[in-house]
Amino acid sequence: MKTFAKLLLGLVVFIFSICTLDTSKTEAATTFKDISTNHPAFDEIAFLAQGKITSGDENGYFKPRQNVTRAEFAAMVGRALNLDGTKKKTKFKDVGSGNFASGYIQSAVDKKIISGYSDGSFKPNGLVTRGEMAIMISRAFGYEFNNTTSGAAKAITSRGIDTTQADGTFAAERQAVREETAIFIARAIDYTMRLNNPSVSFSSERYVTSSTLNVRKGPSTNYNVVKVLKYKEKVTLGYQVGNWVLIKADDNTIGFVSTDYLSTSNPTSSGDNPGDTSGGKSLASQVLVIDPGHGGTDPGKVGFGLKEKDIVLNTSLLLKKLLIQTPLNVKYTRETDVTLDLVKDRVPYALSVKGNTFVSIHANGGGGTGSETYYWGKVSKAATNPYVSDSKMLAEFIQKRLVVALDTRDRGIKHGDFHVIRENQMPAVLVELAFMDTKADSEKLNSPVYRQKAAEAIYLGILDYYKAKGFDVAPYYDVV
């Protein structure tokens, strides 16, 4: 038992001591049925999968030896650079706005990463070659290559992103396969995966301009956080990937941060909070109350084998994982499956903890479809919630985020005569995620992916509200 305890302690220490871009196989493990940890490109594929840059098919296979179309590769590069992937009209006669990659293709055109052919086509269904990959990667990551295939091949091999083939050539005309595209993109992003003792130089200094800034393993919010920087901390820059940059902190932590929160000059202000420079208020002063509806002996609405109390509690706990990364003082009326009295336990608790904002989470019933958010919309002399305008504002922000995230019918914001919002003494809303007893809605409520999306939408809606109220929330959008 002592030996086991020592091993366990050692493992914990090891995990928390990781402060580089090294992608562990445990953290980045994929669910691809045909990619084991022994696969030569496992690390690269897993890294891109974590960043949602690549994915498998509907059956869970990656198909590493399958060829890749030009449109597919353009989409992968676009995701790596966080380009706008919204479907749109393109400059190419053979890429319509309905093409899955049209947004990434046109965005890459705008960034001069893609140029297409002289006849005005892009040939989206053509199979990408190794030479074409090398050119697009060189343009995307700013490598000098004299605008030639041979120059791009040299840029790729000299950086240890790939090597020459068995015949001693780069095999530029050979059609690429999926494992090669993963290798090219992952190694271009993460220098530690490159061949031949990879290294990178860090030089230009920058300063953090937000109250906190997450350093991540990759260039998007899909990647794990390895460190949190504080206001005015100094970092040195490596290389840029889209609007993210590889940095080194004073303690030698290496990772990616958004360039939006870095400045060439040391920020100055009268206080330690970056919000002071812009007049913003700190979220640390706010108490947010999250109220998962029903619970215990009260199941709420029921449909297709699901209980409302379970769905909203799980969503609320997913929301907790996001809110805990902000300075907000967050309180929960329940975090387990317990019975709460509607009158005695919910609003009185919110008042007892001196709440500033109240969000009650529910799921609907009655055979309809879609999402809606309620607020108390009457102003009267009676002892009811006087915060009508702020409640309405909070409802609008959450509702807007929710219908986009869940892709549900927008039922809008509504005045609701519900106890928890009527009898409160703070801005308060009641969110109805979707309908328990409608098949399409119920399938989304039963999906862990959609419940996560719902949690993220509510989180972002809360931030939008606080932003509108003049609080410093910019760094916390980076959480999702």
Side-chain angles (χ1 to χ4, degrees):
M1 180 63 73
K2 290 183 178 180
T3 301
F4 173 77
K6 289 181 179 179
L7 288 173
L8 181 60
L9 178 60
L11 177 61
V12 172
V13 171
F14 170 74
I15 291 173
F16 280 93
S17 67
I18 294 176
C19 291
T20 69
L21 285 179
D22 185 31
T23 304
S24 77
K25 294 190 175 184
T26 299
E27 289 181 338
T30 71
T31 57
F32 301 133
K33 298 176 182 178
D34 52 351
I35 303 295
S36 71
T37 56
N38 295 322
H39 190 282
F42 174 86
D43 286 342
E44 289 84 352
I45 294 169
F47 179 75
L48 296 190
Q50 183 184 359
K52 298 181 181 180
I53 296 169
T54 190
S55 61
D57 65 15
E58 64 276 9
N59 296 315
Y61 291 92
F62 184 75
K63 298 181 179 179
R65 300 301 297 172
Q66 181 174 288
N67 291 124
V68 181
T69 67
R70 286 167 53 80
E72 289 171 337
F73 187 71
M76 291 176 66
V77 171
R79 295 185 197 110
L81 299 183
N82 290 288
L83 300 183
D84 181 8
T86 306
K87 292 180 182 179
K88 65 187 73 170
K89 182 180 179 181
T90 75
K91 65 170 288 186
F92 302 114
K93 61 184 182 182
D94 56 350
V95 182
S97 58
N99 187 292
F100 81 95
S102 60
Y104 289 117
I105 290 171
Q106 186 56 45
S107 294
V109 168
D110 297 339
K111 296 288 186 180
K112 302 188 185 307
I113 297 169
I114 290 173
S115 56
Y117 294 94
S118 57
D119 64 355
S121 68
F122 179 69
K123 297 181 174 54
N125 298 321
L127 300 181
V128 71
T129 65
R130 284 172 53 83
E132 289 172 328
M133 283 204 309
I135 289 173
M136 280 192 265
I137 289 292
S138 295
R139 288 174 177 164
F141 290 87
Y143 305 154
E144 292 187 8
F145 67 106
N146 296 323
N147 207 32
T148 64
T149 301
S150 60
K154 184 178 180 180
I156 295 298
T157 55
S158 66
R159 287 171 171 78
I161 293 174
D162 199 23
T163 62
T164 55
Q165 302 301 287
D167 62 359
T169 70
F170 187 73
E173 298 301 318
R174 179 170 65 73
Q175 293 166 346
V177 294
R178 282 173 59 79
E179 63 186 8
E180 288 178 314
T181 62
I183 287 172
F184 272 52
I185 296 176
R187 291 179 183 173
I189 295 173
D190 183 353
Y191 79 96
T192 66
M193 293 183 178
R194 298 177 191 175
L195 309 173
N196 306 322
N197 299 317
S199 64
V200 64
S201 60
F202 295 86
S203 54
S204 302
E205 294 181 349
R206 295 291 188 274
Y207 297 88
V208 176
T209 60
S210 61
S211 57
T212 60
L213 179 59
N214 289 329
V215 182
R216 296 180 180 270
K217 288 188 175 181
S220 81
T221 55
N222 295 318
Y223 287 98
N224 295 336
V225 175
V226 297
K227 181 181 175 62
V228 179
L229 299 173
K230 296 181 180 179
Y231 181 51
K232 295 186 181 182
E233 277 198 62
K234 182 178 69 176
V235 300
T236 51
L237 306 187
Y239 53 83
Q240 197 158 334
V241 179
N243 60 342
W244 290 67
V245 64
L246 184 74
I247 62 93
K248 179 188 286 187
D250 283 345
D251 65 354
N252 292 323
T253 297
I254 295 174
F256 287 93
V257 301
S258 171
T259 57
D260 292 339
Y261 306 111
L262 296 179
S263 172
T264 55
S265 58
N266 194 348
T268 58
S269 71
S270 58
D272 292 328
N273 189 324
D276 293 341
T277 63
S278 61
K281 297 174 285 187
S282 171
L283 285 179
S285 66
Q286 295 295 291
V287 177
L288 169 66
V289 180
I290 302 298
D291 173 45
H294 308 282
T297 58
D298 176 12
K301 300 295 190 300
V302 177
F304 297 94
L306 304 177
K307 296 177 181 178
E308 180 183 358
K309 67 171 186 175
D310 299 327
I311 297 299
V312 300
L313 178 59
N314 179 257
T315 303
S316 299
L317 293 177
L318 292 172
L319 175 60
K320 179 181 181 180
K321 292 181 180 180
L322 303 174
L323 292 170
I324 202 171
Q325 299 180 66
T326 75
L328 281 165
N329 185 2
V330 188
K331 304 294 185 180
Y332 302 83
T333 57
R334 70 180 181 100
E335 296 185 59
T336 58
D337 185 22
V338 296
T339 303
L340 296 180
D341 185 87
L342 176 62
V343 176
K344 297 179 180 179
D345 292 329
R346 297 182 190 271
V347 172
Y349 173 77
L351 297 176
S352 72
V353 297
K354 301 185 180 346
N356 301 108
T357 312
F358 183 94
V359 177
S360 189
I361 302 176
H362 290 254
N364 225 329
T369 183
S371 306
E372 58 194 17
T373 306
Y374 290 90
Y375 67 99
W376 174 251
K378 292 183 178 180
V379 179
S380 68
K381 295 181 180 179
T384 54
N385 195 337
Y387 294 91
V388 174
S389 59
D390 279 356
S391 295
K392 182 179 180 180
M393 183 192 307
L394 177 60
E396 287 174 339
F397 283 126
I398 292 178
Q399 177 69 12
K400 182 177 180 180
R401 291 283 190 175
L402 194 62
V403 295
V404 172
L406 297 185
D407 191 24
T408 47
R409 175 189 167 194
D410 186 358
R411 298 173 64 91
I413 64 168
K414 302 175 180 179
H415 159 70
D417 190 8
F418 299 110
H419 181 90
V420 293
I421 55 177
R422 183 188 67 236
E423 301 302 322
N424 236 311
Q425 294 297 302
M426 65 194 73
V429 299
L430 187 148
V431 182
E432 297 279 11
L433 301 176
F435 280 74
M436 299 288 299
D437 52 1
T438 299
K439 189 173 187 299
D441 282 20
S442 181
E443 288 177 349
K444 290 182 177 180
L445 292 173
N446 194 33
S447 165
V449 172
Y450 276 92
R451 291 198 297 273
Q452 178 66 35
K453 289 182 177 182
E456 292 176 358
I458 295 170
Y459 171 82
L460 292 172
I462 291 170
L463 287 190
D464 293 340
Y465 166 77
Y466 275 115
K467 178 180 179 181
K469 296 294 291 180
F471 287 82
D472 177 32
V473 301
Y476 311 114
Y477 284 103
D478 190 39
V479 169
V480 299

